[in-house]
Amino acid sequence: MKQLQMTGIRKSFSGVTVLNGVDLSVQGGRVTALLGENGAGKSTLMKILTGVYLADAGEIRVDGQPVVIRNVDAARALGIGMIHQELNLFTNLSIAENFLIGNESRYRLGGFVQYARLNRTVRETLESLQLNRSPSDIVGTLGVGEQQLVEIGKALQQDIRFLAMDEPTAALTQTETKRLFEIIQGLSAQNVGIIYISHRLEELFQIADDVTVLRDGKFVASRTMAETSEDELVSLMVGRDITERYPTVKTEPGHTILAANHLTNHRVKDAKLEVRAGEIVGLGGLMGAGRTELARAIAGVDKLKAGELVFLGKHIRFRSPAEAIRSGIAFVTEDRKEQGLVLPFSIRHNVSLPTLRARSKGGIVNRNAETNFVREVATKLRVKMNTIDDQVGGLSGGNQQKVVIAKWLANNPMLFILDEPTRGVDVGAKQEIYHLMNQLKQDGKAILMISSDLPELLGMSDRVYVMHEGKVQGELHGEHLTEENFMRLATGGENAWKNSAQ
């Protein structure tokens, strides 16, 4: 029986203790969920397991034998792999070239790469993942969800004995998630031990056998999934009870903030939607349906070929994101790492960047005004930090997401476009983001939210538009706002639209 044990793991950075005596046990053929809020130490523990960091204290055993994992190659030699939440792909290279990197010896013969064999393997892997892409496609042209599947496919090329997955379904829809679960079950049947990190508690009861919970860098508890519940896991993670997963507030929608009519470009076809003041409107669909592309077209990121936008009563077509920002639109992108933040910059600089002019005079930034604002919004969103001058790249994923949202608050926009606002965010931070959305809603702001998390989309939205192959297939609201009606529309059904409109 394959077995991985981490016992008494400790790690500190610059005198700050990140892990304090953490235990983790993983059996071959079983899926162990690793839970904890952002900043609980999950990622650090996995970096120690995969050779990125060396533990200050503690022991790692593989099949009962103590091992020292000094680097990534040592972890790979032990059959330990990792699929990271922040994707480690070269976006300027093809899918096949990304598969090749790190696996050169597998495809090299006599000093030359066997491209025919590489492409054949990549094509078979993509087919098994049901990803309709060519090995020659450039990774940068893929959506985040598609890139996630490429990352998973690349990891499967290794001789894996233990595989850690950090938020593997964060950008996947239900269909892709179901396929991923089939892959995980197949790996388990081959006696591979899986460490599964996710903030989507409901899916853990579908896929995991065991669970270990961390809080503030410490081991809290281990359970079998059969002997626990969502309420207990939430309580273990955050140290308190959370009574409502999707808190909503009732408001009376006001005037129309945005009306999009017949929008068309290379990925969007004749799309129509409306968002009013004081409401949260969901935008959903399967991966590749055109959700993000529609948001990018509204925000002036992508060019429109046809159609019109009416924003705050004025017919307008934004020629650039800067025009949309100045007009009162905030666009929180799904890829915070590449598009939402400047990772080497501080929290201060990231938050104040969009509104430097408002805090400057004669080209000189008013430092006191900047400091006061950044501290105010960082406190409001409960960003976990030492000071506002901490580097954003050193924050957990959930705290990075809070910084992305915080930087738009100073502009006082009327429309917030939130693309996967809680992707990779723990249950406690999700609650804070939900409450912020509700506060914005009560303040008369309009919110257009894209989410691949269907319970979140249905739970937080007043109305939901569903897209299919670039078109807005229909709108759901009230008693028709159900998963069944959503999936009918998302797969191209017309009857669901007629039923939901009655």
Side-chain angles (χ1 to χ4, degrees), residues 387-406:
T387 74
I388 61 173
D389 293 309
D390 289 352
Q391 188 182 65
V392 163
L395 299 179
S396 65
N399 284 297
Q400 287 182 0
Q401 186 70 359
K402 292 179 186 179
V403 174
V404 174
I405 296 173

Side-chain angles (χ1 to χ4, degrees), residues 444-478:
K445 308 296 185 183
I447 297 175
L448 179 64
M449 178 181 70
I450 301 170
S451 178
S452 299
D453 185 339
L454 188 51
E456 171 183 83
L457 189 72
L458 302 181
M460 288 301 298
S461 301
D462 299 297
R463 298 182 290 119
V464 172
Y465 290 102
V466 187
M467 296 191 69
H468 172 70
E469 295 183 350
K471 298 179 181 179
V472 174
Q473 193 74 9
E475 176 193 344
L476 299 172
H477 56 86

Side-chain angles (χ1 to χ4, degrees), residues 134-186:
S134 166
S136 61
D137 285 351
I138 301 300
V139 167
T141 65
L142 277 59
V144 173
E146 293 175 311
Q147 290 184 25
Q148 181 77 59
L149 291 176
V150 171
E151 187 81 86
I152 292 169
K154 180 179 176 181
L156 297 179
Q157 303 308 297
Q158 303 174 30
D159 184 16
I160 292 293
R161 303 178 72 227
F162 300 95
L163 179 62
M165 296 182 168
D166 192 355
E167 296 289 347
T169 65
L172 304 185
T173 59
Q174 283 193 325
T175 302
E176 288 77 37
T177 296
K178 181 180 178 181
R179 179 59 189 141
L180 174 64
F181 286 177
E182 292 171 355
I183 293 168
I184 292 174
Q185 290 165 350

Side-chain angles (χ1 to χ4, degrees), residues 15 17 111 206 208 268 295 309 356 384 395 407 417-418 444 465 493:
T17 300
Q206 302 175 48
V268 179
L309 284 172
L356 277 179
K384 292 182 180 178
L395 299 179
K407 74 178 188 179
I417 302 176
L418 308 179
Y465 290 102

Side-chain angles (χ1 to χ4, degrees), residues 157 162-163 223 251 257 310 314 336 380 401 413 496 499:
Q157 303 308 297
F162 300 95
L163 179 62
R223 302 273 193 276
T251 59
I257 298 295
V310 181
K314 296 181 180 179
R336 59 176 173 261
K380 181 177 182 180
Q401 186 70 359
N499 291 338

Side-chain angles (χ1 to χ4, degrees), residues 31-65:
V31 178
T32 298
L34 182 60
L35 290 185
E37 291 192 276
N38 292 111
K42 306 184 301 297
S43 295
T44 302
L45 186 66
M46 290 301 96
K47 287 179 179 178
I48 289 172
L49 177 63
T50 54
V52 178
Y53 298 149
L54 189 64
D56 297 335
E59 183 180 58
I60 301 175
R61 288 178 174 263
V62 175
D63 298 338
Q65 299 299 313

Side-chain angles (χ1 to χ4, degrees), residues 11-18 56:
K11 185 65 179 177
S12 297
F13 296 98
S14 302
V16 178
T17 300
V18 178
D56 297 335

